[in-house]
Amino acid sequence: EVKLVESGGGLVQPGRSLKLSCAASGFSFNDYWMGWVRQAPGKGLEWIGEINQDSSTINYTPSLKDKFTISRDNAQNTLYLQMSKLGSEDTAIYYCAREDYGGLAYWGQGTLVTVSS
Amino acid sequence: DIQMTQSPPSLSASLGDKVTITCQASQNINKYIAWYQQKPGKAPRQLIRYTSTLVSGTPSRFSGSGSGRDYSFSISNVESEDIASYYCLQYDNLPYTFGAGTKLELK
């Protein structure tokens, strides 16, 4: 069974940084592209970016490229999202997802990030 | 970026109805569209990929169609468990983009 478990969310002050993790299990992690999606409270879904199997290709949505960094550790079956210069607009649930030929096929349960002083 | 115009924003249906949601892309997306269901407090779940391919476990009352810029998603015989929000996603071009969502409610 594919399982994705995000962690690292919480309350963070504006301007600070935060690193999220996504632990993967139930599949061969290093065979798949992985991605991040976020959802602000009561709003729609926003694609953040993706990373390929060996981290040689990382794509971001342009508006987040300068403040978010995606990485992965295949030995630990873990995906990461480093977020910097956080503002209130970054308050959201952050989901990791496994990509297949059909887009974002499997999703974690999400981790909530709240940016507030 | 490709814009995905999803309509309607909300939909009210009775049990057993057929409902249809549409997504129009700002350019041809070559059928690379997926549809997701999201229930309150839960992660999105993929129902359909590549326009019309049902993901394993998706009931046959769900369907998708379309080509070029115009795509639709339908639920025939709406059941109570279908009450949720639905989103389209284009994955033809980077950055991937979602529609704004459709909230399906019971009439």
Side-chain angles (χ1 to χ4, degrees), chain B residues 28-48:
Chain B
N28 180 9
I29 56 170
N30 298 300
K31 296 193 170 186
Y32 289 106
I33 186 169
W35 293 90
Y36 295 84
Q37 177 191 66
Q38 187 179 32
K39 296 184 178 180
K42 299 295 186 182
R45 168 196 168 199
Q46 190 180 58
L47 299 178
I48 289 175

Side-chain angles (χ1 to χ4, degrees), chain B:
Chain B
D1 299 5
I2 294 178
Q3 308 303 314
M4 299 297 289
T5 303
Q6 184 172 342
S7 62
S10 63
L11 202 47
S12 184
S14 300
L15 297 178
D17 280 356
K18 178 177 180 177
V19 299
T20 298
I21 298 167
T22 63
C23 269
Q24 183 176 67
S26 56
Q27 66 187 67
N28 180 9
I29 56 170
N30 298 300
K31 296 193 170 186
Y32 289 106
I33 186 169
W35 293 90
Y36 295 84
Q37 177 191 66
Q38 187 179 32
K39 296 184 178 180
K42 299 295 186 182
R45 168 196 168 199
Q46 190 180 58
L47 299 178
I48 289 175
R49 60 180 172 85
Y50 197 58
T51 295
S52 59
T53 301
L54 268 60
V55 169
S56 176
T58 301
S60 59
R61 63 182 180 276
F62 293 92
S63 64
S65 65
S67 63
R69 294 174 56 208
D70 297 305
Y71 299 85
S72 64
F73 168 86
S74 295
I75 311 172
S76 60
N77 299 314
V78 167
E79 298 188 6
S80 56
E81 66 183 34
D82 301 334
I83 301 309
S85 293
Y86 293 86
Y87 295 89
C88 63
L89 166 72
Q90 73 78 20
Y91 56 100
D92 183 51
N93 277 0
L94 293 171
Y96 297 165
T97 45
F98 289 92
T102 296
K103 188 173 184 179
L104 176 60
E105 298 173 319
L106 270 181
K107 193 178 292 182

Side-chain angles (χ1 to χ4, degrees), chain A residues 47-67:
Chain A
W47 184 78
I48 296 170
E50 62 179 0
I51 185 169
N52 75 338
Q53 292 89 335
D54 66 2
S55 305
S56 60
T57 301
I58 307 174
N59 298 308
Y60 299 93
T61 199
S63 62
L64 299 176
K65 184 174 183 178
D66 292 336
K67 56 190 294 183

Side-chain angles (χ1 to χ4, degrees), chain A residues 37-117:
Chain A
V37 175
R38 70 178 181 179
Q39 185 172 36
K43 302 297 185 183
L45 301 166
E46 180 181 23
W47 184 78
I48 296 170
E50 62 179 0
I51 185 169
N52 75 338
Q53 292 89 335
D54 66 2
S55 305
S56 60
T57 301
I58 307 174
N59 298 308
Y60 299 93
T61 199
S63 62
L64 299 176
K65 184 174 183 178
D66 292 336
K67 56 190 294 183
F68 287 6
T69 302
I70 297 173
S71 61
R72 65 192 293 164
D73 182 340
N74 287 342
Q76 299 293 323
N77 291 339
T78 303
L79 175 72
Y80 299 103
L81 180 65
Q82 175 73 52
M83 305 183 292
S84 62
K85 304 172 190 172
L86 288 166
S88 58
E89 68 279 7
D90 299 311
T91 292
I93 297 172
Y94 286 75
Y95 297 101
C96 67
R98 191 187 93 176
E99 296 191 14
D100 284 352
Y101 291 109
L104 301 163
Y106 295 91
W107 298 54
Q109 86 290 346
T111 188
L112 176 62
V113 174
T114 303
V115 183
S116 175
S117 55

